Amino acid sequence: MESAGGHGHKENIISDDAATVDWRGRPSDRNKHGGIRAAAFVLGLQSFEIMAIAAVGNNLVTYLINEMHFSLSKSANIVTNFIGTLFILALFGGYISDSYLGCFWTMLVFGFIELSGFVLLSVQAHLPQLKPPKCNMQTNGDQCTEAKGMKSLIFFLALYMVALGSGCVKPNMLAHGADQFNKSDAKQCKKLSSYFNAAYFAFSVGELIALTFLVWIQTHSGMDIGFGVSAIIMAIGLICLVAGTLFYRNKPPQGSILSPILQVFVAAFLNKRQVCTSNPRILQGQQTELNSFDSTISNDTVNLHHTDRFRFLDKACTKEQEGNSNNATESRWRLCTVNQVEQVKILITVIPIFACTIVFNTILAQLQTFSVSQGSVMNNRITKSFHIPPASLQAIPYILLIFAVPLYDYFFVPFARKITGHVSGITPLQRIGFGLFVATFSMVSAALMEKKRRESFSSSGQRLSIFWITPQFLIFGLSEMFTAVGLIEFFYKQNLKGMQSFLTAMTYCSYSFGFFLSSVLVSLVNKITSRSSGSGWLGGTDLNKARLDLFYWLLAGLSLINFLNYLFWAKWYRNTCNRSLKRGHLDSTKQEFHSFLVPAKTDEEENLA
């Protein structure tokens, strides 16, 4: 087995390159295409794109209130719906890419749509004819005319063009950048791990610039100029993408990625009377896969072998009788291959891991809403003439991350790699778990600080310095570095043929579900607590009369429970997948099959990471 594996490794490197093509559709050359050079162009797009979208999203509520004259609650809902829709559309972008267009063309087409949205927003914000008459919402809010009709239509058209474009671009940036590395090559596996850290570094730099410099431009020069700057920045990002065309390794689209999944469930239902068997000879496609095991195949298209998990799905690939000649022409909606069924099993197995990050992103929603509200009632003066905008508090974790991410990649990962033998230092599952655990302390810090702030104001009327709010942002920034990157790496490395963009898009859906859960949780908590305390923990407009500290303690408890829940599912994932290893099956995701506490150490697993 070892000799076969060693021989297959060199062949896999060649075949992995053969599975990708250059811009003309010819097989890629590993000496000319891919690698750090090609990924750098994608990182450029990622940095500029997040810069453009973050500058709009983080200051959008101000524009909605002051310029479009929407109410505070309606403005908040518009922003929440915009962000939620943007991340949900990431699934659509991943599907279009994997099924029909490929990463590069999906980014180019929808990047242009996003750019067009920024331009239209700038035009709408600049022309008085496309906005309601000027009015001071703070002093004459009841008399101000809300944007309606064509003015409202143009604004929402532009806004959701941005959402559609950004949602479809985001997952493909990560997937296309990762595609530049040959996962069958141990050396490039290490570079792939570094790429995910570099991608998060680019994201942090873009966010930091957006929350400081670009927000400052919007505040002092007007939102029309701010939207225009976002358009220019997005155009620069697209130029970066196009500039790397000659160097990219492109994965061709595979056709519809949903049909093979649906076929498994339909076939399993239609064959529900079949008896599940462990005999591989009566499983459709198993013998072919066994015979072709030593052939030259890509790590992305490696044939999967039958496992015992989710046995009810095996009915989808169980033949009526051995040697039945009709099986060769049997419809895939009646009889699927083992490879097809095993991919669906992998997809089911990773869903609980994904679900455990939703509460994590619910905490993120609080830092972008209530924590900013905390900052607005604190002393934000630095000098007599300079004040820190509360929205800029969100830049705090990114200041930390632009230093922490390189230190993690260049010092911690090599050190941990020597101890664990794992290509990423620690496994993606361990990285996710550590981030989920640390996130709890962000809410503990927020609760303690809010209690101190309320008591200080109630006893002496003194406003605490805004810097007291820093720890909760710093702690969450550290946890996000582990959880977000770990989740992306975990999903991308799953052995699901042609679904890397779609799986990456699922990580963005976690953000969307987290924000929606936040809205439900806030409404539910306020409704329950209002029965015993008047306006409730989060009711009214006076934060000094609210009990935000108790709400933070509730989130800290939910976060801790979520972490314990994650440990259960991580162990379940390990146990479920380990059954495949015990049967001697090889699978490219087996780096995650070992104990959540003890990473993989074998050279073979490192090569397949």
Side-chain angles (χ1 to χ4, degrees):
M1 179 67 71
E2 290 180 2
S3 62
H7 174 69
H9 175 59
K10 183 176 180 181
E11 291 180 335
N12 279 346
I13 296 176
I14 298 173
S15 64
D16 188 52
D17 290 319
T20 58
V21 297
D22 65 5
W23 68 284
R24 292 183 177 179
R26 302 173 301 187
S28 61
D29 184 342
R30 57 176 169 165
N31 296 319
K32 298 179 181 179
H33 305 109
I36 293 292
R37 177 179 58 181
F41 291 101
V42 185
L43 290 175
L45 170 63
Q46 180 165 353
S47 184
F48 286 116
E49 195 278 336
I50 191 61
M51 211 181 294
I53 191 69
V56 171
N58 286 297
N59 214 19
L60 182 60
V61 67
T62 303
Y63 177 74
L64 292 170
I65 295 173
N66 295 337
E67 299 292 334
M68 302 299 286
H69 302 161
F70 292 121
S71 66
L72 177 60
S73 60
K74 188 172 184 178
S75 298
N77 285 336
I78 290 173
V79 174
T80 301
N81 293 337
F82 167 68
I83 296 175
T85 302
L86 188 155
F87 288 128
I88 284 290
L89 284 169
L91 280 179
F92 175 71
Y95 173 76
I96 289 294
S97 171
D98 288 335
S99 301
Y100 304 111
L101 294 180
C103 286
F104 176 79
W105 284 105
T106 302
M107 288 188 291
L108 193 61
V109 171
F110 287 95
F112 182 77
I113 292 176
E114 183 178 359
L115 171 61
S116 301
F118 285 132
V119 172
L120 187 55
L121 277 176
S122 180
V123 171
Q124 192 270 338
H126 181 73
L127 296 178
Q129 301 92 322
L130 300 180
K131 295 186 296 183
K134 288 186 176 182
C135 181
N136 192 325
M137 286 288 287
Q138 293 182 349
T139 58
N140 303 311
D142 295 337
Q143 302 176 6
C144 295
T145 304
E146 179 181 299
K148 295 181 180 179
M150 186 59 66
K151 299 173 183 177
S152 176
L153 177 62
I154 293 177
F155 168 76
F156 283 110
L157 174 63
L159 188 65
Y160 280 92
M161 284 176 66
V162 172
L164 174 62
S166 182
C168 293
V169 166
K170 285 184 184 299
N172 288 289
M173 290 188 295
L174 290 169
H176 190 56
D179 288 344
Q180 305 312 308
F181 301 93
N182 190 328
K183 293 184 291 181
S184 300
D185 186 341
K187 292 183 179 180
Q188 291 215 3
C189 271
K190 295 180 180 179
K191 294 180 180 179
L192 176 60
S193 179
S194 295
Y195 164 75
F196 287 117
N197 290 321
Y200 197 70
F201 178 80
F203 168 82
S204 300
V205 171
E207 281 276 10
L208 180 60
I209 295 175
L211 291 168
T212 53
F213 180 65
L214 296 184
V215 169
W216 183 87
I217 290 179
Q218 292 173 349
T219 304
H220 291 82
S221 300
M223 290 299 292
D224 55 342
I225 301 298
F227 290 145
V229 170
S230 289
I232 294 173
I233 290 173
M234 185 62 201
I236 296 173
L238 290 175
I239 291 173
C240 284
L241 174 68
V242 174
T245 302
L246 299 179
F247 307 105
Y248 294 140
R249 287 162 30 106
N250 301 295
K251 287 188 177 179
Q254 304 293 321
S256 176
I257 61 175
L258 296 182
S259 294
I261 297 174
L262 293 175
Q263 286 169 356
V264 171
F265 290 105
V266 171
F269 175 77
L270 295 177
N271 299 333
K272 58 182 180 294
R273 295 184 179 180
Q274 291 277 29
V275 178
C276 292
T277 178
S278 58
N279 183 2
R281 293 184 178 277
I282 64 174
L283 298 178
Q284 174 71 4
Q286 179 70 74
Q287 188 63 37
T288 303
E289 291 166 3
L290 289 171
N291 292 336
S292 64
F293 176 69
D294 291 327
S295 63
T296 301
I297 52 177
S298 158
N299 187 55
D300 287 324
T301 58
V302 65
N303 286 321
L304 304 175
H305 292 260
H306 176 253
T307 63
D308 289 332
R309 54 186 173 181
F310 309 120
R311 292 290 302 276
F312 66 93
L313 291 177
D314 290 343
K315 295 179 180 182
C317 61
T318 302
K319 303 175 185 178
E320 291 186 6
Q321 61 182 34
E322 189 175 0
N324 189 339
S325 59
N326 292 330
N327 286 327
T329 57
E330 190 78 57
S331 168
R332 283 292 178 89
W333 294 96
R334 298 280 314 189
L335 185 64
C336 303
T337 64
V338 170
N339 202 61
Q340 197 174 344
V341 171
E342 288 302 316
Q343 289 198 20
V344 174
K345 290 181 180 180
I346 293 174
L347 186 60
I348 295 174
T349 306
V350 301
I351 288 176
I353 303 297
F354 157 80
C356 289
T357 62
I358 294 176
V359 171
F360 172 84
N361 287 302
T362 299
I363 293 176
L364 173 62
Q366 312 317 313
L367 295 177
Q368 294 187 359
T369 53
F370 287 119
S371 291
V372 175
S373 298
Q374 282 180 292
S376 65
V377 294
M378 300 175 75
N379 182 10
N380 64 345
R381 178 179 297 179
I382 302 298
T383 65
K384 292 183 178 180
S385 58
F386 182 77
H387 298 73
I388 297 179
S392 294
L393 290 170
Q394 299 172 64
I396 292 174
Y398 300 109
I399 296 174
L400 168 69
L401 290 172
I402 61 175
F403 296 102
V405 172
L407 290 174
Y408 178 88
D409 191 51
Y410 288 103
F411 293 100
F412 175 79
V413 171
F415 173 76
R417 189 181 290 147
K418 293 178 181 178
I419 299 174
T420 66
H422 193 275
V423 67
S424 300
I426 59 176
T427 68
L429 279 179
Q430 290 172 325
R431 189 166 182 170
I432 295 169
F434 182 78
L436 294 180
F437 178 70
V438 172
T440 301
F441 295 96
S442 174
M443 288 294 94
V444 171
S445 174
L448 293 174
M449 198 290 302
E450 172 62 11
K451 186 174 186 297
K452 181 177 179 61
R453 186 199 65 78
R454 288 182 72 254
E455 290 177 348
S456 176
F457 184 82
S458 300
S459 60
S460 62
Q462 181 182 1
R463 292 190 175 190
L464 290 181
S465 170
I466 199 171
F467 289 108
W468 278 90
I469 210 171
T470 302
Q472 63 204 60
F473 281 96
L474 290 178
I475 295 171
F476 187 83
L478 181 65
S479 69
E480 189 176 26
M481 181 184 74
F482 283 88
T483 299
V485 180
L487 188 66
I488 291 170
E489 184 176 359
F490 172 77
F491 270 111
Y492 183 82
K493 289 182 176 179
Q494 298 303 314
N495 194 15
L496 289 171
K497 179 183 177 181
M499 291 185 63
Q500 274 68 33
S501 296
F502 186 79
L503 286 173
T504 304
M506 288 184 65
T507 65
Y508 287 101
C509 284
S510 177
Y511 287 96
S512 180
F513 295 155
F515 274 79
F516 289 143
L517 177 59
S518 173
S519 298
V520 172
L521 193 60
V522 168
S523 300
L524 185 62
V525 166
N526 205 50
K527 183 177 181 180
I528 294 175
T529 57
S530 62
R531 298 174 183 175
S532 58
S533 59
S535 59
W537 287 359
L538 307 172
T541 58
D542 189 354
L543 199 61
N544 294 312
K545 295 180 181 179
R547 292 310 305 269
L548 185 58
D549 55 331
L550 297 180
F551 181 64
Y552 281 151
W553 280 118
L554 174 63
L555 286 174
L558 289 176
S559 180
L560 181 59
I561 294 172
N562 181 65
F563 169 69
L564 297 176
N565 179 52
Y566 172 79
L567 291 180
F568 169 81
W569 288 112
K571 184 178 181 180
W572 175 81
Y573 177 87
R574 177 205 66 190
N575 291 338
T576 301
C577 297
N578 263 338
R579 287 198 288 269
S580 174
L581 286 180
K582 291 176 181 178
R583 292 168 58 90
H585 297 148
L586 294 177
D587 188 281
S588 68
T589 60
K590 69 183 180 181
Q591 62 179 15
E592 297 296 340
F593 299 172
H594 289 272
S595 171
F596 175 67
L597 300 176
V598 182
K601 294 184 178 181
T602 65
D603 291 336
E604 186 179 25
E605 291 179 39
E606 184 172 316
N607 292 339
L608 291 174

